[in-house]
Amino acid sequence: MMGTTSGETGRIAVDAMGGDLGPAEVVEAVRLALRQYPALNPITLVGDEAILTPLLGRISRHRRHHVSIHHASEVVTMDDKPLMALKRKKDSSMVRAIELVKDGNASVVVSCGNTGALMAAGPCACGRWKVSPVRPWRSCTAGNGHFILIDAGANPDAKPEHLVHNAILGSHYCRVMLGLQRRESA
């Protein structure tokens, strides 16, 4: 996820084609998010309109007005080399979603796609980030407790302050989402 301070619209641009499980799973996640958070900002699904339009039927009618589609004809796959994909797939859902932020038509990009391409594309399209991007995380159970795995190698150049941010993020997640008051960061 990446944010910007210029052109704050509150709109969320979602790379609907990225990820291992494809657009059906991304649209399902959007449906669940809208159900759980009715006041969620408007969402733009970025990807192949012919694939996404039928999937919108899964979103309830009274929430569907929060969702729009921005067509993109290409997909950055998980196997693509990040910089080559960005050079050759200029009409990819990831590049078009980032351009929505760059042009002030969205405030945030969410992608489950190729992390290397996302990390390369953001600064290329929008300039250097003023805030660090949110790191991929996973909540796991171990024994009789939980642990949160954040940024397991996804960021090639983590700085010490990013590691501190990750620890704070994990700590708050444990408290707010898991209801755990005692938490440790390692």
Side-chain angles (χ1 to χ4, degrees):
M1 188 163 65
M2 295 180 288
T4 183
T5 55
S6 63
E8 290 287 342
T9 66
R11 181 166 289 279
I12 301 167
V14 177
D15 170 11
M17 307 307 284
D20 293 324
L21 301 177
E25 198 67 22
V26 173
V27 172
E28 177 62 12
V30 167
R31 184 189 72 77
L32 291 172
L34 288 169
R35 192 176 91 205
Q36 187 170 356
Y37 304 101
L40 189 65
N41 291 0
I43 295 171
T44 299
L45 296 172
V46 183
D48 188 329
E49 190 170 10
I51 293 171
L52 295 175
T53 299
L55 295 173
L56 284 182
R58 298 178 178 183
I59 298 172
S60 68
R61 289 183 192 195
H62 71 279
R63 292 201 173 97
R64 206 172 302 156
H65 70 279
H66 285 291
V67 181
S68 63
I69 296 174
H70 183 90
H71 181 71
S73 63
E74 298 176 297
V75 177
V76 174
T77 69
M78 296 300 206
D79 296 325
D80 284 336
K81 300 285 184 210
L83 292 176
M84 293 302 286
L86 298 176
K87 288 179 183 177
R88 293 187 177 159
K89 297 182 175 181
K90 297 196 183 295
D91 195 40
S92 69
S93 55
M94 182 182 292
V95 170
R96 293 296 183 211
I98 291 169
E99 286 175 352
L100 289 174
V101 172
K102 179 183 177 189
D103 296 341
N105 295 314
S107 297
V108 176
V109 173
V110 177
S111 177
C112 298
N114 184 318
T115 303
L118 182 65
M119 298 302 288
C124 289
C126 299
R128 192 156 186 212
W129 288 314
K130 293 181 175 83
V131 296
S132 63
V134 174
R135 309 292 185 237
W137 59 271
R138 178 105 178 147
S139 175
C140 306
T141 55
N144 42 345
H146 284 86
F147 70 92
I148 306 297
L149 179 64
I150 300 175
D151 193 19
N155 185 10
D157 59 351
K159 294 176 176 51
E161 62 266 20
H162 296 153
L163 299 178
V164 170
H165 295 161
N166 289 342
I168 293 168
L169 177 67
S171 178
H172 285 297
Y173 179 85
C174 285
R175 182 177 50 81
V176 173
M177 299 304 289
L178 302 176
L180 303 173
Q181 296 307 312
R182 184 180 158 271
R183 58 213 178 263
E184 297 174 12
S185 298

